[in-house]
Amino acid sequence: MAEGVMDKLRTFLVGLPRRKKRLLQVVTDIFVVWAALWLAFVVRLGIDDMINPFRGHLWLFVAAPIVAIPLFIRFGMYRAVMRYFGNDALIAIIKAVSLSSLILGIVVYWYSNHQSVVPRSIIFNYWWLSLIMVGGLRLAMRQYFLGDWFNATQHVPFANHDDGLPRVAIYGAGAAGNQLVAALRMGRLMRPVAFIDDDPSISDRVIAGLHVYKPKHIQRMIDLTGAQEILLAIPSSNRARRREILGFLEGFPLHVRSVPGFMDLASGRVKVDDIQEVDIADLLGRDAVPAQGDLLEHCIKQQSVLVTGAGGSIGSELCRQILALRPTTLLLFDHSEFNLYSILSELEQRISRESLSVKLVPILGSVRNETKLQDVMKAWRVDTVYHAAAYKHVPMVEHNIAEGVLNNVIGTLCTAQAALRSGVANFVLISTDKAVRPTNVMGSTKRLAELTLQALSHELAPVLFGDSSNVSRVNKTRFTMVRFGNVLGSSGSVIPLFHKQIKSGGPLTVTHPKITRYFMTIPEAAQLVIQAGSMGQGGDVFVLDMGEPVRIVELAEKMVHLSGFSVRSEKNPHGDISIEFTGLRPGEKLYEELLIGDNVVATQHPMIMSANEDHLAWDMLKDKLTELLAAVEQDDYNRVRQLLRDTVSGYAPDGEIVDWIYQQRRLEP
């Protein structure tokens, strides 16, 4: 009942016009000044004479607010918002109260020589009492307006105030942790109940009203505070340290989430109270290697750059990073109107926010349209092409063989030939680890795309595929390929699927208990692609260091544990969420590789290696492409599979052909 009245009063006071709020503060301060002056006399003269100060000293009670209030106004004490009252406001109060006490002391000294005598200690008493009362009132009102009036009761025996908010512990009692506590108290969506920190110098201390626990005392903290979640406020820690912390927290029944890093906060993309699920990259425990500025800028700065598949996972991140490197023109090429509009809107907002002088050109089109690609590259005098357009979802391509071949192989061929015809200086293909000894159509088509660029790179003046004039074209384009594994959060990635399944209560679906994959964050992959594209002489296949492969089932278990749940299994039949194995999908491998052979050479970047892969002569490859196109047009998928086997080294398809058209025709009488 009382708390409801307090809430209504708080809402009323917050809703008052600014002028009325300031007037209310001024009137309150007048009474506070009078009370401080009166108590100063009481402290000096004693309780028996507490009425005597008004006899003969009325002038002093008039002078005190006349001196103090203008100084309070001058020092900005009425401009501070109570809910955001901080250290700067406290310093202003100390300055204003001290100066007003000094001036009042001068007035008392002058007036005492002419009229009545005022004890000198009164001014000193008035000074420290004013500091306590003026500052203390504002601190109390800050807690009141934050709705955290009862925060201190958690340390008071027998005082247990339950407001129904989820109870969270903050891992990290540093600057980020304290900012998070303030934001949570203001937002009133969660109640911070404790800090956890590794620093022994602050353990068992109280910071911002919260007890600081050592990590080894987490269970005791849970028992005492009833914490349901842990929020990681350690944005400056490296990934290895975060992985260690997450591994330790897995053993507790707590949902673990994190706050953004300082760079995200500084860029305005997120706020300090934007709580997010644990970054899965932290579970991998690997820190990104700092970029080399010269490699980043070599093919981009003050140049015209084209990105195909600009609306996709990798393509959009390439666009973000390219924009920061200040090209003159950035052309966004995509066949999906929605994806193109999404990345265009994002980049336009960034250009406006950061006042960049980059021209954005969105182009709807297919990479199979060589004529349009050539027109685009010539019109904007493109210097560098990043070819990210591809179909990369293994089961989807396995069921749609013709589209996989046309988009991944012919699309790459058309884009590369358009670049060669237009005199583009640099061409970078985004490839995949599935191109290595592939068992699926997607991987084999990506390897064939690599072979196409390798073959073109070794021709100084090739006769291009489909050129009926049989005229040789001077090749001024440096073709390179960059091969890497799965990226976290990309379309089709297992991570968003696991998050969705956990929210719905499970089960989590994993294809096989032993399946492993290489993982890398999208920003890191895009950054390395840009740097790799600046290296090599032409025809180079660069391989990114993906770290150690990750077992998908272990990743699933970690995500369940860090979401505050337990895994249901034969050993733990009463667990919260089960993991089910659905079997390998068409074309899927248990293990992925990054190299076909063992011939790998280090480069100037520690995370980028150069693979020496076999290649075909351009004339031989053209014959293979002609046969392949004819087989696709005839929907002869047995012939398509055989041609891919003959052309792509190590291609060993697993199982029957599952293309939808092929299967339907087999059912026809």
Side-chain angles (χ1 to χ4, degrees):
M1 179 69 178
E3 189 173 348
V5 174
M6 297 288 278
D7 288 339
K8 289 181 180 178
L9 178 60
R10 183 190 305 116
T11 304
F12 170 74
L13 291 174
V14 170
L16 285 175
R18 191 166 184 81
R19 287 186 178 180
K20 290 186 178 181
K21 289 179 182 177
R22 287 185 173 181
L23 179 61
L24 183 60
Q25 289 183 68
V26 170
V27 172
T28 302
D29 279 341
I30 291 174
F31 282 100
V32 169
V33 166
W34 282 344
L37 188 57
W38 179 71
L39 286 172
F41 277 96
V42 172
V43 171
R44 171 65 178 82
L45 302 176
I47 195 72
D48 295 333
D49 299 322
M50 63 181 180
I51 304 298
N52 292 341
F54 292 102
R55 297 175 184 173
H57 296 103
L58 185 60
W59 63 272
L60 188 57
F61 283 84
V62 174
I66 291 176
V67 171
I69 299 302
L71 287 172
F72 289 0
I73 295 172
R74 178 66 183 83
F75 278 88
M77 288 172 53
Y78 303 116
R79 290 196 297 269
V81 180
M82 286 294 180
R83 284 169 291 172
Y84 308 109
F85 189 81
N87 294 336
D88 291 341
L90 281 175
I91 292 172
I93 288 173
I94 293 171
K95 291 178 179 178
V97 169
S98 299
L99 187 56
S100 66
S101 299
L102 180 62
I103 294 174
L104 187 64
I106 295 172
V107 171
V108 167
Y109 175 77
W110 178 83
Y111 200 87
S112 296
N113 290 336
H114 298 80
Q115 300 289 334
S116 59
V117 177
V118 176
R120 294 178 182 177
S121 59
I122 292 295
I123 299 302
F124 175 75
N125 292 339
Y126 168 73
W127 171 72
W128 65 263
L129 285 166
S130 294
L131 282 178
I132 293 173
M133 296 176 71
V134 173
L137 177 63
R138 280 164 168 75
L139 287 173
M141 294 308 293
R142 179 185 71 174
Q143 294 303 109
Y144 174 65
F145 284 122
L146 284 175
D148 208 32
W149 187 261
F150 298 96
N151 179 57
T153 60
Q154 64 176 313
H155 300 293
V156 179
F158 312 112
N160 184 20
H161 176 71
D162 186 7
D163 51 12
L165 298 177
R167 294 172 172 262
V168 298
I170 314 298
Y171 200 114
N178 278 271
Q179 290 176 36
L180 179 59
V181 167
L184 292 177
R185 287 173 173 169
M186 194 178 308
R188 291 180 59 77
L189 296 176
M190 299 179 180
R191 172 161 293 281
V193 294
F195 276 121
I196 304 166
D197 204 284
D198 307 308
D199 187 352
S201 65
I202 60 173
S203 61
D204 294 325
R205 304 277 294 275
V206 174
I207 296 177
L210 303 179
H211 190 89
V212 182
Y213 291 87
K214 295 179 181 178
K216 64 181 181 181
H217 296 151
I218 288 181
Q219 188 58 55
R220 187 177 74 182
M221 179 274 296
I222 296 172
D223 296 337
L224 291 175
T225 65
Q228 302 158 294
E229 294 189 25
I230 287 185
L231 305 182
L232 299 181
I234 46 174
S236 59
S237 297
N238 59 37
R239 292 208 183 278
R241 176 59 185 146
R242 293 171 74 89
R243 182 185 185 183
E244 182 183 342
I245 292 171
L246 290 173
F248 176 73
L249 295 177
E250 269 193 80
F252 300 95
L254 295 166
H255 186 181
V256 181
R257 294 196 282 175
S258 65
V259 295
F262 287 126
M263 292 306 296
D264 291 329
L265 295 171
S267 65
R269 291 195 293 268
V270 293
K271 302 186 293 294
V272 72
D273 55 341
D274 283 343
I275 309 301
Q276 55 197 19
E277 295 299 328
V278 169
D279 188 352
I280 302 302
D282 291 336
L283 296 179
L284 306 182
R286 189 187 62 178
D287 289 298
V289 174
Q292 298 182 16
D294 57 333
L295 292 179
L296 283 176
E297 296 178 349
H298 181 71
C299 297
I300 295 173
K301 190 173 183 179
Q302 296 302 307
Q303 298 184 47
S304 179
V305 181
L306 167 67
V307 178
T308 68
S313 306
I314 290 294
S316 59
E317 182 60 31
L318 279 170
C319 291
R320 295 183 191 102
Q321 297 198 24
I322 289 169
L323 191 67
L325 296 170
R326 303 295 197 276
T328 55
T329 307
L330 177 55
L331 296 98
L332 317 174
F333 195 98
D334 205 291
H335 76 288
S336 168
E337 181 187 28
F338 175 76
N339 288 351
L340 188 60
Y341 173 77
S342 298
I343 187 61
L344 175 66
S345 301
E346 178 187 332
L347 297 182
E348 283 179 336
Q349 292 176 13
R350 183 174 169 187
I351 286 175
S352 175
R353 185 173 64 247
E354 300 178 14
S355 301
L356 301 176
S357 58
V358 180
K359 183 177 182 180
L360 282 182
V361 183
I363 299 172
L364 273 172
S366 169
V367 290
R368 303 180 202 173
N369 189 338
E370 185 176 337
T371 302
K372 179 166 187 174
L373 284 165
Q374 185 177 338
D375 291 341
V376 168
M377 293 179 192
K378 284 186 175 180
W380 276 277
R381 297 179 181 177
V382 172
D383 299 293
T384 302
V385 173
Y386 291 95
H387 183 53
Y391 290 144
K392 59 181 183 292
H393 194 270
V394 169
M396 190 69 72
V397 176
E398 206 69 20
H399 285 293
N400 297 273
I401 293 175
E403 287 301 307
V405 171
L406 292 174
N407 201 61
N408 293 356
V409 179
I410 305 305
T412 300
L413 174 67
C414 291
T415 310
Q417 292 195 156
L420 191 149
R421 290 176 189 268
S422 306
V424 171
N426 309 293
F427 187 104
V428 183
L429 169 68
I430 315 302
S431 191
T432 171
D433 59 351
K434 294 175 178 60
V436 178
R437 280 183 277 272
T439 59
N440 50 67
V441 175
M442 194 282 281
S444 63
T445 55
K446 290 297 287 183
R447 176 56 187 151
L448 190 50
E450 290 181 358
L451 287 168
T452 301
L453 298 192
Q454 286 178 295
L456 277 173
S457 294
H458 288 84
E459 297 291 328
L460 296 176
V463 176
L464 299 183
F465 181 82
D467 189 348
S468 58
S469 63
N470 207 35
V471 176
S472 297
R473 306 280 178 173
V474 177
N475 186 359
K476 297 180 180 180
T477 305
R478 183 175 59 90
F479 294 101
T480 56
M481 294 132 275
V482 185
R483 189 187 290 164
F484 56 92
N486 298 274
V487 287
L488 296 171
S490 67
S491 59
S493 171
V494 72
I495 307 303
L497 175 63
F498 284 168
H499 276 305
K500 184 177 179 180
Q501 290 174 337
I502 289 172
K503 285 183 179 179
S504 62
L508 269 64
T509 54
V510 179
T511 56
H512 193 281
K514 294 183 179 180
I515 192 167
T516 65
R517 289 293 181 266
Y518 290 99
F519 284 102
M520 179 179 282
T521 65
I522 294 178
E524 184 183 6
Q527 189 180 81
L528 289 172
V529 163
I530 293 172
Q531 294 175 88
S534 300
M535 299 188 291
Q537 302 302 312
D540 306 84
V541 178
F542 292 107
V543 179
L544 304 188
D545 182 354
M546 302 291 295
E548 295 297 322
V550 178
R551 286 187 65 203
I552 302 300
V553 67
E554 291 180 359
L555 190 62
E557 290 172 352
K558 287 178 182 292
M559 290 182 66
V560 170
H561 291 149
L562 294 173
S563 296
F565 302 109
S566 59
V567 176
R568 189 187 311 146
S569 62
E570 292 182 0
K571 295 181 180 179
N572 183 23
H574 302 293
D576 302 307
I577 295 177
S578 63
I579 296 176
E580 294 183 358
F581 299 103
T582 58
L584 292 175
R585 297 172 295 181
E588 196 168 38
K589 296 168 69 175
L590 274 180
Y591 312 102
E592 299 290 1
E593 304 168 89
L594 290 167
L595 298 170
I596 294 175
D598 297 324
N599 299 321
V600 62
V601 179
T603 68
Q604 63 193 90
H605 196 290
M607 297 285 287
I608 302 172
M609 300 171 288
S610 179
N612 296 315
E613 307 285 26
D614 294 333
H615 64 276
L616 300 176
W618 175 239
D619 289 337
M620 182 184 297
L621 184 65
K622 284 196 297 181
D623 293 339
K624 295 289 185 182
L625 291 176
T626 301
E627 293 183 58
L628 185 63
L629 266 179
V632 168
E633 289 173 1
Q634 297 166 14
D635 293 330
D636 187 351
Y637 298 118
N638 282 306
R639 178 63 178 156
V640 169
R641 174 178 275 194
Q642 187 57 49
L643 284 167
L644 290 174
R645 272 179 172 161
D646 295 342
T647 312
V648 176
S649 175
Y651 175 45
D654 185 19
E656 297 294 324
I657 296 174
V658 294
D659 182 272
W660 298 122
I661 296 175
Y662 176 83
Q663 288 183 324
Q664 185 63 29
R665 285 186 175 173
R666 290 183 63 184
L667 296 175
E668 292 176 356

